[in-house]
């Protein structure tokens, strides 16, 4: 059965989460600058940022917790990729430094002799002052080789934020080498970052991708002063500021204007993928401590196959109960309910399998519970539709007319109901963490699948059935028998039956209107006397 395990089954099957399939557990030991002790706030912040990184990398249903207030335990489904390991282990020491000098990435073939290296003429006036470039900095710059990027997970040297440093850039496929001044804005001052297309005049998209940053109040004030200085230094390299992450330059844009609102926009040769990658690094980059992987081991499923089988059995029992109730209430019309539920199940299964392939989504036991709960919510849509059709049949309409009018009324109720379900699922998904998000996700997914099935399968199927003789003539087993529903025509006399839509008092109302016209205008007293006379007069038509 493809749903039980993703190992040894066809590729097009749902991926299972940690609680159902097992995976890898890593214990991370924190490390701070100067080997200072880690406090609880730093550890909790690290857990939040690692969780955001893992979720941003597309790894779902991961478990990230602290252990004894000293370590961080990361449990991931299956075997994590090198990129995921790097994201988890990286210290994410993000910094904004001014560029002092840039050049070719290769190591200098002939280092400059010490005698020819100029010493600074005085103390640096600001972070962009070339006087930061000492003899030692120049030697380190010439000896640095930036032609080959480091291996994933390879540790980078952490530089003193109050001193200049030499760093490499590997992004964009064109390596570069920089001498950078001291840190001016730390990464912790970033409030948020996102990727979007550049908007031209009139709000029209230019098709060019950019990264939008937003600093907090402290970062806004500092960045304003930095851009005031850097803008005056254009077009030299000293007009650039480098964004560093884990000792590497991830971008070095040129300051083209003074940014006073704390919302700069980074443009360049971005495509959608590279812009989103940079935005993710900026958004989740500021991690107060770094980590070493202390231990790593494979773990078995925390719940296992037996619990999944029990969940599936519970779902089948729920489906059977819905079927029994539908046959009892709607006779053979319940076949439409069963068929719709089966189609909704197929749509949900295909969607989960596709999300597993494209977005690395993994199904947990909480997600299975969300699907089981959705069976009852899905059946509600069909019940609303069927009852609307029955109401129209009770009013004397034909089945074809009842289906169309009932649908026009039922779909508004169905849309409102599913909108509430989706809203609840979205709020729960945003507010919750861990397995609860899996429950909310499948609940919302099945609500969307329900709408697709009702509009594209259930309603068209009832339109087809309304044209068949069995349902059109209201067979007692069809569930749409007008007599069973209380829509039996009333006798009018002279061998005539009440027409559909005509009330039983229609003739009496017409007779009263005719008599009123024959009697002509009357005063109130005359009208009351006439009514008393008619009530006391024997029914001549009945006597005849």
């Amino acid at each position: 059965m493809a749903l039980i395990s993703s190992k040894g089954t066809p590729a097009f099957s749902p991926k299972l989460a940690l609680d159902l399939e097992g995976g890898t557990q890593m214990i991370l030991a924190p490390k701070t600058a100067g080997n200072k002790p880690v406090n609880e706030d730093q550890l909790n912040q690290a857990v939040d940022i690692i969780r955001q990184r893992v979720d941003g990398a597309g790894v779902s249903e991961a478990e990230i917790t602290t252990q004894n207030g000293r370590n961080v335990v990361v449990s991931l489904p299956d075997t994590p990729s090198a990129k995921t390991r790097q994201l988890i282990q990286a210290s994410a020491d993000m910094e904004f430094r001014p560029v002092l000098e840039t050049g070719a990435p290769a190591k200098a073939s002939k280092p400059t002799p010490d005698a020819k290296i100029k010493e600074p003429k005085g103390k640096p006036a600001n972070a962009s002052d070339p006087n930061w470039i000492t003899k030692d900095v120049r030697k380190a710059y010439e000896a640095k080789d930036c032609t080959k990027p480091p291996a994933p997970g390879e540790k980078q040297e952490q530089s003193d934020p109050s001193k200049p440093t030499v760093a490499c850039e590997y992004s964009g496929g064109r390596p570069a080498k920089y001498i950078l001044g001291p840190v001016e804005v730390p990464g912790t001052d970033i409030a948020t970052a996102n990727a979007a297309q550049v908007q031209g005049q009139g709000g029209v998209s230019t098709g060019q991708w950019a990264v939008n940053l937003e600093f907090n109040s402290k970062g806004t004030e500092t960045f304003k002063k930095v851009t005031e200085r850097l803008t005056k230094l254009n077009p030299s390299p000293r007009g650039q500021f480098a964004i560093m992450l884990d000792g590497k330059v991830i971008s070095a844009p040129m300051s083209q204007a003074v940014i006073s609102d704390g919302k700069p926009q980074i443009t360049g040769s971005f495509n959608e993928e590279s812009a989103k990658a940079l935005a993710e690094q900026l958004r989740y980059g500021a991690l107060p401590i770094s980590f070493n992987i202390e231990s790593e081991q494979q773990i078995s499923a925390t719940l296992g196959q037996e619990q999944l089988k029990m969940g599936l059995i519970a779902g089948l029992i729920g489906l059977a109960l819905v079927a029994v109730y539908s046959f009892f209430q709607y006779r053979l019309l319940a076949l439409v309910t069963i068929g719709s539920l089966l189609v909704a199940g197929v749509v949900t299964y295909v969607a989960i399998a596709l999300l597993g392939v494209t977005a690395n989504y993994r199904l947990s036991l909480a997600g299975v519970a969300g699907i089981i709960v959705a069976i009852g919510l899905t059946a509600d849509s069909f019940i609303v539709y069927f009852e609307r059709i029955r109401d129209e049949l009770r009013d004397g309409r034909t089945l074809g007319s009842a289906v169309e009018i009932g649908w026009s009324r039922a779909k508004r109720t169905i849309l409102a109901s599913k909108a509430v379900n989706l809203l609840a699922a979205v709020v729960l998904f945003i507010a919750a963490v861990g397995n609860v998000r899996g429950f909310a996700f499948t609940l919302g997914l099945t609500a969307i699948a329900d709408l697709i099935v009702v509009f594209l399968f259930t309603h068209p199927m009832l339109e087809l059935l309304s044209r068949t003789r069995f349902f059109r003539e209201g067979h007692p087993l069809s569930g749409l028998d007008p007599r069973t529903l209380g829509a039996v025509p009333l006798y009018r006399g002279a061998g005539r039956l009440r027409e559909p839509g005509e009330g039983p008092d229609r003739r009496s109302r017409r007779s009263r209107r005719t008599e009123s016209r024959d009697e002509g205008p009357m005063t109130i007293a005359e009208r009351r006397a006439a009514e008393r006379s008619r009530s006391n007069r024997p029914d001549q038509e009945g006597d005849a």
Side-chain angles (χ1 to χ4, degrees):
M1 189 173 182
L3 187 58
I4 298 300
S5 176
S6 62
K7 297 181 179 179
T9 58
F12 192 74
S13 60
K15 292 183 178 180
L16 301 183
L18 187 69
D19 57 351
L20 298 177
E21 189 179 55
T24 303
Q25 183 184 77
M26 293 181 287
I27 298 179
L28 308 178
K31 179 182 178 182
T32 59
N35 293 322
K36 296 179 180 179
V38 179
N39 58 48
E40 186 176 355
D41 290 339
Q42 288 178 313
L43 207 59
N44 291 335
Q45 184 181 354
V47 168
D48 290 340
I49 293 177
I50 290 175
R51 182 179 290 113
Q52 291 173 337
R53 285 178 173 186
V54 171
D55 292 343
V59 180
S60 62
E61 301 297 339
E63 295 180 4
I64 304 169
T65 57
T66 59
Q67 183 184 65
N68 301 325
R70 294 194 304 269
N71 298 327
V72 174
V73 180
V74 180
S75 301
L76 304 173
D78 206 0
T79 303
S81 64
K83 178 184 176 182
T84 304
R85 292 173 186 271
Q86 186 178 10
L87 281 173
I88 294 171
Q89 189 179 0
S91 63
D93 185 14
M94 181 168 285
E95 305 166 338
F96 288 75
R97 292 175 179 257
V99 175
L100 302 178
E101 189 175 323
T102 183
K107 179 180 180 180
S109 57
K110 293 182 180 180
T112 304
D114 291 353
K116 294 185 178 182
I117 299 177
K118 296 180 180 181
E119 286 287 352
K121 297 179 180 180
K123 292 184 177 181
N126 52 59
S128 297
D129 196 328
N131 285 328
W132 285 106
I133 306 176
T134 62
K135 184 181 292 186
D136 292 338
V137 172
R138 175 64 61 184
K139 286 184 176 181
Y141 176 73
E142 293 181 348
K144 188 77 170 180
D145 186 5
C146 296
T147 55
K148 295 181 180 179
E154 182 179 336
K155 296 180 181 179
Q156 301 293 306
E157 296 181 2
Q158 299 297 319
S159 56
D160 190 335
S162 62
K163 296 180 179 179
T165 188
V166 177
C168 302
E169 180 182 11
Y170 304 102
S171 60
R174 292 178 294 178
K177 185 163 56 175
Y178 298 92
I179 300 178
L180 306 174
V183 175
E184 294 200 281
V185 183
T188 51
D189 285 349
I190 297 176
T192 186
N194 62 81
Q197 291 190 353
V198 178
Q199 301 293 323
Q201 295 182 353
V204 179
S205 175
T206 63
Q208 179 186 8
W209 282 90
V211 177
N212 298 317
L213 276 173
E214 184 174 346
F215 290 101
N216 58 22
S217 57
K218 179 183 177 182
T220 298
E221 185 63 29
T222 306
F223 198 70
K224 176 185 176 182
K225 296 177 181 178
V226 172
T227 53
E228 285 176 347
R229 184 183 70 246
L230 296 182
T231 304
K232 298 176 182 178
L233 296 174
N234 281 339
S236 68
R238 291 170 58 204
Q240 295 176 261
F241 64 92
I243 305 172
M244 292 188 65
L245 178 64
D246 296 340
K248 300 187 294 292
V249 176
I250 58 175
S251 182
M254 184 79 69
S255 178
Q256 298 178 343
V258 177
I259 308 298
S260 59
D261 61 354
K263 298 179 180 180
Q265 184 180 73
I266 303 174
T267 58
S269 56
F270 290 118
N271 55 27
E272 182 179 1
E273 182 179 356
S274 60
K276 288 182 177 179
L278 178 57
E280 182 180 315
Q281 288 176 312
L282 294 171
R283 187 164 60 248
Y284 305 137
L287 189 61
I289 51 181
S290 60
F291 291 94
N292 292 326
I293 298 179
E294 194 172 75
S295 66
E296 180 177 339
Q297 61 181 353
Q298 296 296 314
I299 57 175
S300 59
T302 56
L303 294 176
Q305 306 293 324
E306 190 63 31
Q307 281 74 12
L308 177 59
K309 291 179 181 178
M310 294 300 294
L312 295 177
I313 291 173
L316 292 176
I317 292 174
L319 184 62
L321 291 176
V322 171
V324 170
Y325 172 80
S326 297
F327 278 112
F328 175 79
Q329 183 72 15
Y330 300 108
R331 306 298 188 271
L332 293 184
L333 189 61
L335 294 175
V336 179
T337 302
I338 304 302
S340 300
L341 287 173
L342 292 177
V343 174
V346 172
V347 171
T348 304
Y349 181 89
V350 172
I352 292 175
L354 286 175
L355 289 171
V357 174
T358 58
N360 200 29
Y361 172 76
R362 292 180 177 272
L363 182 65
S364 65
L365 191 61
V368 175
I371 296 175
I372 295 173
V373 170
I375 293 176
L377 299 179
T378 302
D380 285 345
S381 301
F382 312 140
I383 292 173
V384 169
Y385 188 15
F386 295 163
E387 289 301 326
R388 288 290 189 181
I389 294 174
R390 285 180 153 193
D391 288 342
E392 300 304 321
L393 291 175
R394 291 186 183 98
D395 287 342
R397 290 187 173 86
T398 62
L399 180 57
S401 176
V403 167
E404 291 306 317
I405 298 175
W407 170 246
S408 65
R409 296 179 178 178
K411 67 180 178 183
R412 293 194 295 267
T413 305
I414 294 172
L415 287 172
S417 172
K418 296 307 164 186
V420 172
N421 292 344
L422 279 173
L423 180 61
V426 169
V427 172
L428 186 60
F429 184 85
I430 294 174
V433 295
N435 288 337
V436 180
R437 299 185 73 186
F439 174 85
F441 182 82
T442 53
L443 191 64
L445 181 64
T446 48
I448 296 174
D450 180 20
L451 286 176
I452 294 173
V453 171
V454 169
F455 277 81
L456 301 182
F457 178 81
T458 308
H459 176 54
M461 182 60 65
L462 278 172
E463 286 184 322
L464 292 175
L465 293 179
S466 66
R467 300 188 184 103
T468 63
R469 181 178 179 182
F470 181 83
F471 286 92
R472 186 180 67 249
E473 295 183 356
H475 192 280
L477 294 179
S478 67
L480 299 173
D481 182 10
R483 288 177 172 78
T484 304
L485 299 175
V488 180
L490 299 178
Y491 182 74
R492 291 185 53 187
R496 298 180 61 187
L497 298 177
R498 177 173 65 85
E499 298 175 0
E502 181 181 356
D505 59 343
R506 181 177 175 182
R507 180 179 177 275
S508 60
R509 290 198 304 268
R510 186 166 58 245
S511 299
R512 287 195 294 270
R513 287 196 300 269
T514 303
E515 290 178 4
S516 297
R517 286 195 302 268
D518 294 340
E519 292 170 352
M522 294 185 296
T523 64
I524 296 176
E526 290 173 339
R527 188 181 301 113
R528 288 179 178 174
E531 289 175 354
R532 285 196 297 270
S533 175
R534 281 197 298 270
S535 62
N536 296 327
R537 184 177 57 192
D539 191 348
Q540 296 177 359
E541 289 183 9
D543 294 341

